């Protein structure tokens, strides 16, 4: 069975046929690097990481090229750089901008690595592809799809007949929805910026239209073309990017004569306890906030994978607790797992069906119930939920179990001496209540977690 993927462009689940199986190519819109990534930003990263892993599994590790960009041309980055300059920083504005995006990229890598995501093959920074953007803009002007006005270059939306097709919007509705900026230099309010002037105190690049900077959309079109070519397989990002960002990317690239992406994939948004995550609601947090609170990256990843990427995903405290409990149980089993170093077929089958990660997790439950610990181990590893060994936060608990074993041993010795087994029975029943099975042999005491294992109840035994 081949991979099936839902294509936003055709609104249907399609059999995925790579343009070139020797080089399957995927572009995903990456972050604007002005600050720490929030939990919602992590969703596309995790979703497309699973797809990257699946493609590599199917076509071979050397036959997939995954590109995810960094947008490092941005007002908020400039604002931080300016503030540092005003505070007395002794560097140029360009250096301060670079410093801010460097530190944000470093954080991004730390945080996304903690979620078990593999780094893409290329992570282009917009500022390193300005020449390619300028060339593409010049080409669009030459072909009559763009025009210069007051130091700006604008894309002429009316010159591309399929505009709005991806997101299924009518041009009139888009104007009515006031999602477009009206400006005196625009021939039409729908037209969007390819290039805009920079002020003297802000970073800018020389161009045929004066010193300025690129618009956001042209960045992705130019970097995808440079690194993946005029035609590639998959383009991904969050739902919120469908319009205007992806609509504009398509218009620019198609009008430049590129075939561009065959399959468009969009993840739904993340919410928190049923509400949109926002600063004003006070439920806004970053991935780093969670990691610092002691929520392991594997737990965050598990919760994300438990919802299909095309459904809104709700981050809840309850899900976090359950994910941790399940993972601890699975790690305890998987630690002993040996066998073929490959994920179980049932897990792969689920993923091949439009990345059904929730189905893949259900298959992990089956493997755990069947005590197929080798398959469980390598499937956990494949899904990025475990490295070569179980994570240290779960190992700490393994050590803890040893402490309980010693406790049972000493209570047992005392019971044998006094012939009063009531304390031992009481301890065993409390362990049973926490989902821990007690096995006593002549050699000693073994404690084993069962599927009912509850680390919080065990902790309460101390
Ligand atoms: P940005 O840095 O805002 O351009 O966003 C980077 C990525 O995060 C994009 O693919 C967005 O679609 C995605 N994203 C932003 N907010 C959310 C959210 N609440 N849930 C899921 N994805 C999101
Ligand atoms: Zn993009």
């Amino acid at each position: 069975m081949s991979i099936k993927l839902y294509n936003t462009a055709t609104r249907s689940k399609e059999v995925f046929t790579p343009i070139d199986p020797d080089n399957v190519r995927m572009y995903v819109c990456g972050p604007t690097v002005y600050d720490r990534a929030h939990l919602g930003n992590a969703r596309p990263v995790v979703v497309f990481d699973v797809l990257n892993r699946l493609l590599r599994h199917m076509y071979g590790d050397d036959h997939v090229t995954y590109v995810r960009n960094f947008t490092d041309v941005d007002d908020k980055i400039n604002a931080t750089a300016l503030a540092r300059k005003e505070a007395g920083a002794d560097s140029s504005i360009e250096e301060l901008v670079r410093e801010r995006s460097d530190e944000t990229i470093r954080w991004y890598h730390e945080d996304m690595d903690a979620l078990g995501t593999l780094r893409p093959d290329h992570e282009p920074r917009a500022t390193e592809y300005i020449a390619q953007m300028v060339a593409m803009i010049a080409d669009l002007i030459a072909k009559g799809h763009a025009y210069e006005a007051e130091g700006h270059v604008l894309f002429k939306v009316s010159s591309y007949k399929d505009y709005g097709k991806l997101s299924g919007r009518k041009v009139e509705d888009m104007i009515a929805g006031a999602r477009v900026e009206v400006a005196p230099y625009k021939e039409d309010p729908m037209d969007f910026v390819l290039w805009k002037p920079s002020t003297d105190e802000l970073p800018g690049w020389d161009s045929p239209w004066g010193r300025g900077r690129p618009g956001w959309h042209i960045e992705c079109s130019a970097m995808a073309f440079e690194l993946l070519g005029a035609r590639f397989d998959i383009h991904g990002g969050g739902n919120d990017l469908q319009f205007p960002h992806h609509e504009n990317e398509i218009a620019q690239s198609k009008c430049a004569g590129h075939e561009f992406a065959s399959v468009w994939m969009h993840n739904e948004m993340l919410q928190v306890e049923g509400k949109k995550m926002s600063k004003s609601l006070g439920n806004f947090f970053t991935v780093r906030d969670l990691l610092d609170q002691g929520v392991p990256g594997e737990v965050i990843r598990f919760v994300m994978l438990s919802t299909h990427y095309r459904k809104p995903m709700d981050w809840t405290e309850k899900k976090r607790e359950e994910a941790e409990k399940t993972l601890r149980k699975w790690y305890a089993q998987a630690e002993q797992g040996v066998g073929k170093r490959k994920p179980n077929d049932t897990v792969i089958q689920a993923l091949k069906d439009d990345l059904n990660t929730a189905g893949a997790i259900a298959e992990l439950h089956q493997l755990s119930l069947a005590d197929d610990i080798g398959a469980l181990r390598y499937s956990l590893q494949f899904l990025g939920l475990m490295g070569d060994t179980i994570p240290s936060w779960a190992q700490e608990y393994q050590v803890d179990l040893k402490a309980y074993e010693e406790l049972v041993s000493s209570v047992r010795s005392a019971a044998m001496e006094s012939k009063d087994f009531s304390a031992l029975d009481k301890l065993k029943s409390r362990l049973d209540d926490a989902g821990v099975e007690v096995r006593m042999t002549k050699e000693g005491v073994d404690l084993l977690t069962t599927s009912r294992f509850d680390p919080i109840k065990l902790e309460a035994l101390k």
Side-chain angles (χ1 to χ4, degrees):
M1 192 189 86
S2 40
I3 302 181
K4 285 192 190 123
L5 297 174
Y6 182 86
N7 187 352
T8 309
T10 59
R11 287 168 185 67
S12 61
K13 225 195 254 186
E14 298 170 349
V15 171
F16 175 66
T17 317
I19 298 161
D20 173 6
D22 283 337
N23 185 16
V24 183
R25 285 155 286 165
M26 170 160 81
Y27 185 96
V28 174
C29 294
T32 306
V33 284
Y34 64 92
D35 209 346
R36 288 264 183 201
H38 64 65
L39 191 63
N41 295 138
R43 192 174 190 199
V45 183
V46 170
V47 165
F48 292 103
D49 176 67
V50 175
L51 182 55
N52 179 36
R53 286 166 184 264
L54 179 66
L55 293 172
R56 293 183 123 83
H57 177 78
M58 302 279 299
Y59 298 98
D61 208 18
D62 299 335
H63 300 290
V64 177
T65 309
Y66 174 22
V67 178
R68 187 186 60 216
N69 70 293
F70 286 120
T71 294
D72 57 352
V73 179
D74 177 68
D75 286 337
K76 293 195 203 94
I77 306 175
N78 291 346
T80 305
L82 277 177
R84 286 180 181 177
K85 194 153 184 70
E86 272 157 30
D90 187 25
S91 317
S92 71
I93 189 72
E94 282 79 11
E95 283 163 349
L96 290 167
V97 162
R98 183 81 186 184
E99 182 184 288
R100 179 57 174 173
S101 23
D102 278 347
E103 76 190 4
T104 313
I105 289 173
R106 198 171 58 244
W107 293 336
Y108 191 78
H109 278 150
E110 280 167 16
D111 298 349
M112 298 308 134
D113 289 355
L115 301 186
T117 62
L118 305 173
R119 301 258 180 109
D121 301 287
H122 301 280
E123 296 182 285
R125 294 167 75 138
T127 49
E128 290 171 3
Y129 291 79
I130 302 287
Q132 288 86 342
M133 296 169 204
V134 168
M136 200 164 170
I137 296 169
D139 183 45
L140 287 170
I141 296 177
K143 288 178 170 148
H145 293 292
Y147 59 93
E148 189 189 353
E150 296 174 32
H152 293 72
V153 181
L154 292 134
F155 184 88
K156 197 186 287 205
V157 167
S158 63
S159 77
Y160 179 57
K161 63 171 177 19
D162 284 339
Y163 194 81
K165 212 171 162 191
L166 176 80
S167 56
R169 287 164 202 256
K170 289 204 191 77
V171 170
E172 308 84 75
D173 296 347
M174 291 186 259
I175 298 171
R179 303 273 317 250
V180 294
E181 191 197 350
V182 184
Y185 49 80
K186 287 186 177 182
E187 285 177 9
D188 184 309
M190 283 308 291
D191 295 349
F192 59 86
V193 165
L194 298 173
W195 189 264
K196 60 182 164 193
S198 262
T199 53
D200 287 343
E201 73 273 15
L202 288 177
W205 292 266
D206 290 329
S207 82
W209 321 287
R211 186 173 172 279
R213 54 190 255 211
W216 170 36
H217 319 299
I218 195 72
E219 295 177 7
C220 286
S221 284
M223 289 186 281
F225 177 55
E226 180 71 16
L227 294 164
L228 297 175
R231 191 177 171 214
F232 58 93
D233 298 287
I234 300 168
H235 194 311
N239 246 349
D240 56 332
L241 300 185
Q242 271 188 45
F243 177 81
H245 185 54
H246 289 165
E247 211 68 80
N248 294 357
E249 279 189 40
I250 292 174
Q252 298 160 159
S253 293
K254 295 262 188 191
C255 290
H258 307 162
E259 254 185 76
F260 214 40
S262 311
V263 183
W264 284 85
M265 293 178 68
H266 294 97
N267 62 272
E268 254 291 354
M269 295 291 102
L270 174 133
Q271 307 175 329
V272 176
E273 306 283 350
K275 295 197 185 80
K276 185 182 154 84
M277 184 163 78
S278 81
K279 287 198 170 131
S280 60
L281 287 174
N283 64 356
F284 177 95
F285 49 86
T286 65
V287 173
R288 179 49 50 185
D289 291 335
L290 281 184
L291 294 169
D292 284 349
Q293 283 161 25
V295 182
E298 292 85 356
V299 168
I300 302 174
R301 185 174 176 99
F302 183 100
V303 172
M304 295 229 171
L305 297 184
S306 304
T307 302
H308 189 259
Y309 76 93
R310 283 196 289 118
K311 295 205 179 101
M313 163 197 165
D314 201 16
W315 173 268
T316 66
E317 192 50 29
K318 186 159 177 276
K319 283 189 187 172
R320 183 196 69 70
E321 271 173 27
E322 288 188 348
E324 181 168 340
K325 233 188 273 181
T326 305
L327 280 174
R328 281 183 187 277
K329 182 180 83 188
W330 288 352
Y331 290 146
Q333 276 183 295
E335 199 180 23
Q336 326 295 331
V338 285
K340 275 183 265 163
R341 295 187 148 268
K342 66 183 193 61
N344 209 53
D345 264 351
T346 53
V347 171
I348 297 294
Q349 293 308 328
L351 297 181
K352 279 179 171 178
D353 181 14
D354 191 29
L355 230 52
N356 183 1
T357 52
I361 296 223
E363 294 302 337
L364 294 182
H365 277 290
Q366 291 304 320
L367 294 175
S368 164
L369 281 175
D371 222 19
D372 194 347
I373 55 177
L376 179 64
R377 178 184 190 126
Y378 296 112
S379 301
L380 280 166
Q381 290 185 355
F382 177 77
L383 284 168
L385 290 167
M386 174 177 163
D388 282 338
T389 54
I390 67 173
S392 54
W393 60 268
Q395 272 167 19
E396 280 160 30
Y397 148 73
Q398 296 290 319
V399 176
D400 274 353
L401 212 54
K402 289 221 168 48
Y404 290 100
E405 283 172 356
E406 278 160 26
L407 176 69
V408 178
S409 285
S410 69
V411 174
R412 179 167 81 147
S413 306
M416 306 242 266
E417 202 123 303
S418 65
K419 304 278 179 256
D420 174 4
F421 287 84
S422 59
L424 180 63
D425 287 341
K426 198 167 155 214
L427 181 59
K428 275 165 67 182
S429 105
R430 290 184 66 191
L431 283 165
D432 178 66
D433 189 42
V436 177
E437 187 189 325
V438 182
R439 287 192 192 162
M440 294 200 251
T441 61
K442 270 187 246 117
E443 286 76 43
V445 175
D446 270 338
L447 296 187
L448 294 154
T449 55
T450 68
S451 55
R452 294 180 292 107
F453 178 56
D454 184 342
I456 293 154
K457 278 191 182 160
L458 184 71
E459 190 73 13
L461 268 171
K462 267 192 187 156

Short mmCIF file of all heavy atoms in Angstrom, two decimals, residues 28-32 34 38-44 216 236-241 267-271 277, ligand 1:
data_model
loop_
_atom_site.label_atom_id
_atom_site.label_comp_id
_atom_site.label_asym_id
_atom_site.label_seq_id
_atom_site.Cartn_x
_atom_site.Cartn_y
_atom_site.Cartn_z
N VAL A 28 8.47 23.15 4.11
CA VAL A 28 7.53 23.53 5.17
C VAL A 28 7.87 24.95 5.63
O VAL A 28 9.04 25.27 5.86
CB VAL A 28 7.58 22.55 6.36
CG1 VAL A 28 6.70 23.03 7.51
CG2 VAL A 28 7.14 21.15 5.92
N CYS A 29 6.85 25.80 5.75
CA CYS A 29 7.09 27.18 6.20
C CYS A 29 7.53 27.15 7.66
O CYS A 29 6.84 26.61 8.52
CB CYS A 29 5.82 28.01 6.07
SG CYS A 29 5.36 28.23 4.35
N GLY A 30 8.66 27.73 7.90
CA GLY A 30 9.22 27.73 9.25
C GLY A 30 8.88 29.01 10.01
O GLY A 30 8.08 29.82 9.55
N PRO A 31 9.49 29.18 11.16
CA PRO A 31 9.12 30.28 12.04
C PRO A 31 9.74 31.62 11.65
O PRO A 31 10.77 31.67 10.99
CB PRO A 31 9.70 29.84 13.38
CG PRO A 31 10.93 29.08 13.00
CD PRO A 31 10.58 28.36 11.72
N THR A 32 9.09 32.67 12.09
CA THR A 32 9.70 33.99 12.09
C THR A 32 10.48 34.06 13.40
O THR A 32 9.89 33.86 14.48
CB THR A 32 8.62 35.08 12.04
OG1 THR A 32 7.79 34.80 10.91
CG2 THR A 32 9.24 36.45 11.88
N TYR A 34 11.73 35.78 15.96
CA TYR A 34 11.81 36.98 16.80
C TYR A 34 11.76 36.65 18.28
O TYR A 34 12.12 37.45 19.12
CB TYR A 34 10.72 37.99 16.43
CG TYR A 34 9.31 37.50 16.67
CD1 TYR A 34 8.67 37.75 17.88
CD2 TYR A 34 8.63 36.79 15.69
CE1 TYR A 34 7.39 37.30 18.12
CE2 TYR A 34 7.35 36.33 15.91
CZ TYR A 34 6.74 36.60 17.13
OH TYR A 34 5.48 36.14 17.36
N HIS A 38 5.97 29.27 20.53
CA HIS A 38 4.90 28.86 21.45
C HIS A 38 4.46 27.43 21.10
O HIS A 38 4.89 26.86 20.09
CB HIS A 38 3.74 29.87 21.47
CG HIS A 38 3.00 30.04 20.17
ND1 HIS A 38 2.27 29.03 19.59
CD2 HIS A 38 2.88 31.11 19.35
CE1 HIS A 38 1.72 29.47 18.48
NE2 HIS A 38 2.08 30.74 18.30
N LEU A 39 3.58 26.88 21.96
CA LEU A 39 3.24 25.47 21.78
C LEU A 39 2.57 25.22 20.42
O LEU A 39 2.80 24.17 19.81
CB LEU A 39 2.33 25.01 22.93
CG LEU A 39 2.11 23.50 23.01
CD1 LEU A 39 3.42 22.76 23.28
CD2 LEU A 39 1.08 23.15 24.07
N GLY A 40 1.78 26.19 19.94
CA GLY A 40 1.13 26.04 18.63
C GLY A 40 2.15 25.94 17.51
O GLY A 40 2.00 25.14 16.58
N ASN A 41 3.21 26.72 17.59
CA ASN A 41 4.26 26.68 16.57
C ASN A 41 4.90 25.29 16.46
O ASN A 41 5.43 24.92 15.41
CB ASN A 41 5.40 27.66 16.89
CG ASN A 41 4.97 29.11 16.85
OD1 ASN A 41 5.35 29.89 17.70
ND2 ASN A 41 4.16 29.47 15.87
N ALA A 42 4.86 24.55 17.57
CA ALA A 42 5.49 23.23 17.57
C ALA A 42 4.66 22.20 16.81
O ALA A 42 5.18 21.16 16.39
CB ALA A 42 5.72 22.76 19.00
N ARG A 43 3.37 22.48 16.61
CA ARG A 43 2.54 21.46 15.99
C ARG A 43 2.99 21.13 14.56
O ARG A 43 3.20 19.95 14.25
CB ARG A 43 1.06 21.85 16.04
CG ARG A 43 0.19 20.67 15.66
CD ARG A 43 -1.29 20.90 15.82
NE ARG A 43 -1.99 19.62 15.66
CZ ARG A 43 -3.27 19.49 15.38
NH1 ARG A 43 -4.03 20.55 15.28
NH2 ARG A 43 -3.80 18.28 15.23
N PRO A 44 3.12 22.13 13.66
CA PRO A 44 3.60 21.77 12.31
C PRO A 44 4.98 21.11 12.33
O PRO A 44 5.26 20.25 11.51
CB PRO A 44 3.64 23.11 11.56
CG PRO A 44 3.57 24.17 12.61
CD PRO A 44 2.84 23.57 13.77
N TRP A 216 7.28 38.98 2.82
CA TRP A 216 7.38 37.65 3.43
C TRP A 216 7.14 36.53 2.41
O TRP A 216 7.87 35.53 2.38
CB TRP A 216 6.37 37.58 4.58
CG TRP A 216 6.15 36.25 5.21
CD1 TRP A 216 7.08 35.27 5.41
CD2 TRP A 216 4.92 35.74 5.72
NE1 TRP A 216 6.50 34.18 6.04
CE2 TRP A 216 5.18 34.45 6.23
CE3 TRP A 216 3.61 36.26 5.82
CZ2 TRP A 216 4.17 33.67 6.83
CZ3 TRP A 216 2.62 35.48 6.42
CH2 TRP A 216 2.90 34.21 6.91
N GLY A 236 4.07 22.32 3.05
CA GLY A 236 3.27 22.24 4.27
C GLY A 236 3.33 23.49 5.12
O GLY A 236 4.17 24.37 4.92
N GLY A 237 2.44 23.52 6.10
CA GLY A 237 2.39 24.62 7.06
C GLY A 237 1.07 24.59 7.81
O GLY A 237 0.23 23.72 7.55
N GLY A 238 0.89 25.52 8.72
CA GLY A 238 -0.36 25.59 9.47
C GLY A 238 -1.50 26.13 8.61
O GLY A 238 -1.28 26.84 7.63
N ASN A 239 -2.72 25.77 9.01
CA ASN A 239 -3.94 26.23 8.32
C ASN A 239 -4.01 27.74 8.14
O ASN A 239 -4.55 28.23 7.15
CB ASN A 239 -5.13 25.87 9.22
CG ASN A 239 -5.99 24.85 8.56
OD1 ASN A 239 -5.82 24.58 7.38
ND2 ASN A 239 -6.92 24.28 9.31
N ASP A 240 -3.49 28.45 9.13
CA ASP A 240 -3.55 29.91 9.11
C ASP A 240 -2.71 30.49 7.97
O ASP A 240 -2.84 31.66 7.64
CB ASP A 240 -3.07 30.49 10.46
CG ASP A 240 -1.68 30.01 10.83
OD1 ASP A 240 -1.28 28.92 10.42
OD2 ASP A 240 -0.98 30.77 11.54
N LEU A 241 -1.87 29.66 7.35
CA LEU A 241 -1.02 30.16 6.28
C LEU A 241 -1.66 30.01 4.89
O LEU A 241 -1.14 30.54 3.91
CB LEU A 241 0.34 29.45 6.28
CG LEU A 241 1.17 29.59 7.55
CD1 LEU A 241 2.54 28.94 7.36
CD2 LEU A 241 1.37 31.06 7.93
N ASN A 267 -1.78 21.71 8.75
CA ASN A 267 -2.22 21.24 10.06
C ASN A 267 -3.21 22.23 10.65
O ASN A 267 -3.13 23.42 10.42
CB ASN A 267 -1.03 21.05 11.02
CG ASN A 267 -0.29 22.33 11.31
OD1 ASN A 267 0.62 22.69 10.58
ND2 ASN A 267 -0.66 23.03 12.38
N GLU A 268 -4.17 21.67 11.40
CA GLU A 268 -5.14 22.52 12.12
C GLU A 268 -4.44 23.17 13.32
O GLU A 268 -3.32 22.82 13.67
CB GLU A 268 -6.32 21.67 12.58
CG GLU A 268 -7.58 21.88 11.77
CD GLU A 268 -8.21 23.25 12.00
OE1 GLU A 268 -7.74 24.01 12.88
OE2 GLU A 268 -9.17 23.58 11.29
N MET A 269 -5.13 24.08 13.94
CA MET A 269 -4.54 24.86 15.03
C MET A 269 -4.57 24.12 16.37
O MET A 269 -5.35 23.20 16.58
CB MET A 269 -5.29 26.19 15.18
CG MET A 269 -5.15 27.11 13.99
SD MET A 269 -3.48 27.79 13.81
CE MET A 269 -2.86 26.76 12.50
N LEU A 270 -3.72 24.58 17.25
CA LEU A 270 -3.67 24.06 18.61
C LEU A 270 -4.42 25.03 19.53
O LEU A 270 -4.34 26.24 19.36
CB LEU A 270 -2.22 23.96 19.06
CG LEU A 270 -1.96 23.57 20.51
CD1 LEU A 270 -0.89 22.49 20.55
CD2 LEU A 270 -1.52 24.74 21.36
N GLN A 271 -5.16 24.44 20.47
CA GLN A 271 -5.86 25.24 21.48
C GLN A 271 -5.40 24.78 22.86
O GLN A 271 -4.76 23.74 22.98
CB GLN A 271 -7.36 25.00 21.40
CG GLN A 271 -7.94 25.20 20.01
CD GLN A 271 -9.41 24.83 19.98
OE1 GLN A 271 -9.86 23.96 20.72
NE2 GLN A 271 -10.16 25.50 19.13
N MET A 277 -5.23 29.83 22.02
CA MET A 277 -4.12 30.27 22.86
C MET A 277 -3.81 31.73 22.55
O MET A 277 -3.54 32.07 21.41
CB MET A 277 -2.89 29.40 22.57
CG MET A 277 -1.74 29.73 23.46
SD MET A 277 -0.46 28.45 23.53
CE MET A 277 0.37 28.74 22.04
P1 LIG B 1 4.83 31.92 12.51
O1 LIG B 1 6.17 32.01 13.17
O2 LIG B 1 3.78 32.70 13.20
O3 LIG B 1 4.90 32.22 11.03
O4 LIG B 1 4.33 30.42 12.64
C1 LIG B 1 5.13 29.29 12.38
C2 LIG B 1 4.28 28.08 12.14
O5 LIG B 1 3.44 27.81 13.29
C3 LIG B 1 3.31 28.20 10.97
O6 LIG B 1 3.33 26.99 10.22
C4 LIG B 1 1.96 28.43 11.61
O7 LIG B 1 0.92 27.96 10.81
C5 LIG B 1 2.09 27.59 12.85
N1 LIG B 1 1.16 27.97 13.94
C6 LIG B 1 1.04 29.19 14.53
N2 LIG B 1 0.10 29.18 15.51
C7 LIG B 1 -0.36 27.89 15.56
C8 LIG B 1 -1.35 27.21 16.39
N3 LIG B 1 -2.02 27.82 17.38
N4 LIG B 1 -1.55 25.91 16.15
C9 LIG B 1 -0.86 25.25 15.19
N5 LIG B 1 0.05 25.81 14.38
C10 LIG B 1 0.31 27.13 14.57
#
